[in-house]
Amino acid sequence: VSPVFKERINHALELRRSGKVRKIVFTGGQGNRNELTESSAARRYAIQQGVSPGDILVEENSHTTYENLLFAREVAVARGLKRVLIVSDPLHMKRAITMANELQFRAISAATPTSRYVSWRSKAKSLLYESFFYVNHRTLRVEDHVC
């Protein structure tokens, strides 16, 4: 798993260990067909860290943040989960929560306490990326409602 994704997984595992969540839903499809899906890699890592396989749910079809949330919502609803904590990097959280709200997914922010984006350059690059895709997403949603 990537360093940023590993930060998210470790934070989810800490939330599980502290009793703040009962189940973990890992999201993420396959980038390369010769590799595990992101969610399967996260599941494997969590099990290695001592999480019971029965406490881990996965969705393996998403490729975007919106799809992560859409498909995770389907998994959560199917299991009777009514509320979720979204674990993500602090710079990504605004966009993720906005999308969750649009999907009527009862979600609370649980940003990672640390970020792999530590230099000013990497933070600026990530903030620019997130800002661009946030504005793009909001613009597309407004156009969907106008047309």
Side-chain angles (χ1 to χ4, degrees):
V1 296
S2 73
V4 172
F5 193 35
K6 192 171 186 176
E7 289 287 322
R8 294 175 184 180
I9 298 167
N10 285 334
H11 188 49
L13 298 180
E14 182 55 36
L15 292 168
R16 174 73 179 89
R17 283 187 203 105
S18 67
K20 293 183 176 145
V21 297
R22 291 175 287 141
K23 303 281 185 189
I24 299 173
V25 180
F26 289 121
T27 64
Q30 195 168 34
N32 180 338
R33 70 176 194 201
N34 296 325
E35 296 177 359
L36 289 173
T37 61
E38 274 195 337
S39 54
S40 291
R43 182 180 189 278
R44 178 184 286 178
Y45 177 78
I47 291 169
Q48 291 170 349
Q49 300 303 309
V51 178
S52 168
D55 291 337
I56 302 170
L57 307 171
V58 296
E59 78 73 22
E60 299 182 289
N61 299 310
S62 61
H63 292 94
T64 65
T65 299
Y66 189 81
E67 287 178 351
N68 290 150
L69 294 161
L70 178 65
F71 300 149
R73 183 178 181 276
E74 292 172 3
V75 169
V77 168
R79 297 293 180 136
L81 303 176
K82 298 186 183 344
R83 293 178 299 166
V84 298
L85 295 177
I86 294 179
V87 174
S88 192
D89 189 90
L91 295 173
H92 179 61
M93 193 56 75
K94 172 72 174 167
R95 187 161 59 103
I97 290 294
T98 297
M99 291 177 178
N101 289 335
E102 290 169 2
L103 291 166
Q104 298 178 356
F105 197 7
R106 288 187 57 203
I108 299 168
S109 169
T112 57
T114 59
S115 175
R116 296 297 297 184
Y117 302 111
V118 292
S119 71
W120 282 107
R121 183 182 190 134
S122 64
K123 285 180 182 179
K125 184 178 177 182
S126 179
L127 185 58
L128 184 61
Y129 176 92
E130 288 299 328
S131 297
F132 173 81
F133 282 102
Y134 177 80
V135 169
N136 185 49
H137 176 78
R138 297 300 294 167
T139 302
L140 290 175
R141 290 291 163 219
V142 168
E143 288 174 2
D144 286 347
H145 295 311
V146 172
C147 295

